């Protein structure tokens, strides 16, 4: 899939307008000529200039806004592409009730089997990756991951 420069230019222009508009709500600093809105406004102006350049360049080359690649017409590739947002939706819906550990093992095993096959090695890798992620986030980054059904066994 290919997006034209014009489309990205419009996105950057929209971001520029949003940044500059939001920066106007920042309070003024008494006794100073500039305040906390200065750098966001400068970034917004830069986004706007880059967006305008991309938009004009894309329109001059008369590029199509979106150009679909061949994989979009393949059911297998499309199913692989959609598996990731479905897995994220599953995590959002199930992680509080099931807990991080079982949800992550189920989710990663499902994705690994779908994308590469080999169920046994997928399960082993999913368990190892889940334990690694849980250790890093809960022990070192101090992010409270949900325990869900495993609350009585929480360590």
């Amino acid at each position: 899939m290919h997006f034209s420069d014009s489309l990205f230019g419009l996105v950057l222009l929209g971001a520029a307008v949003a940044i500059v508009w939001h920066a106007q709500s920042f309070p003024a600093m008494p006794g100073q000529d500039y305040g906390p809105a200065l750098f966001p406004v400068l970034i917004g102006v830069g986004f706007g200039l880059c967006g305008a350049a991309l938009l004009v360049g894309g329109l001059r080359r008369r590029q199509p806004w979106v150009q679909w690649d061949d994989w979009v017409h393949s059911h297998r590739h499309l199913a692989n592409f959609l598996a990731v947002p479905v897995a994220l939706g599953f995590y959002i819906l199930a992680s509080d009730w099931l807990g991080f550990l079982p949800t992550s093992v189920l989710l990663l095993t499902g994705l690994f089997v779908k994308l590469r096959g080999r169920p046994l090695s997928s399960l082993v890798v999913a368990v190892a990756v889940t334990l690694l992620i849980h250790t890093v986030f809960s022990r070192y980054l101090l992010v409270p991951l949900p325990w869900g059904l495993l609350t009585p066994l929480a360590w």
Side-chain angles (χ1 to χ4, degrees), residues 14-34:
V17 169
I19 290 169
V20 171
W21 179 72
H22 182 67
Q24 300 308 310
S25 69
F26 294 176
M29 299 295 289
Q32 291 188 359
D33 294 334
Y34 56 88

Side-chain angles (χ1 to χ4, degrees), residues 137-155:
F137 275 81
S138 66
R139 301 274 177 175
Y140 300 112
L141 298 176
L142 303 177
V143 174
L145 297 172
W147 282 96
L149 295 176
L150 300 178
T151 301
L153 304 173
W155 59 80

Side-chain angles (χ1 to χ4, degrees), residues 46-149:
F47 274 25
L49 292 173
C50 291
L54 283 171
L55 180 64
V56 169
L59 290 175
R60 281 187 184 159
R61 288 190 294 278
R62 300 184 190 272
Q63 297 174 328
W65 290 82
V66 177
Q67 199 170 23
W68 300 101
D69 290 336
D70 293 335
W71 71 266
V72 174
H73 305 293
S74 163
H75 295 295
R76 183 176 64 86
H77 288 101
L78 194 57
N80 288 346
F81 176 78
L82 293 175
V84 174
V86 167
L88 290 173
F90 172 72
Y91 180 82
I92 290 168
L93 295 174
S95 64
D96 283 337
W97 179 72
L98 276 176
F100 174 79
L101 293 171
T103 305
S104 180
V105 169
L106 287 171
L107 184 143
L108 290 176
T109 301
L111 281 176
F112 292 160
V113 169
K114 171 79 178 114
L115 297 175
R116 63 184 282 268
R118 304 187 203 137
L120 183 60
S121 68
S122 294
L123 178 63
V124 170
V125 171
V127 168
V129 168
T130 296
L131 291 174
L132 176 70
I133 291 171
H134 186 271
T135 301
V136 168
F137 275 81
S138 66
R139 301 274 177 175
Y140 300 112
L141 298 176
L142 303 177
V143 174
L145 297 172
W147 282 96
L149 295 176

Side-chain angles (χ1 to χ4, degrees), residues 19-20 23 37-49:
I19 290 169
V20 171
L38 175 66
F39 288 112
V41 167
L42 290 176
I43 290 170
V45 168
F47 274 25
L49 292 173

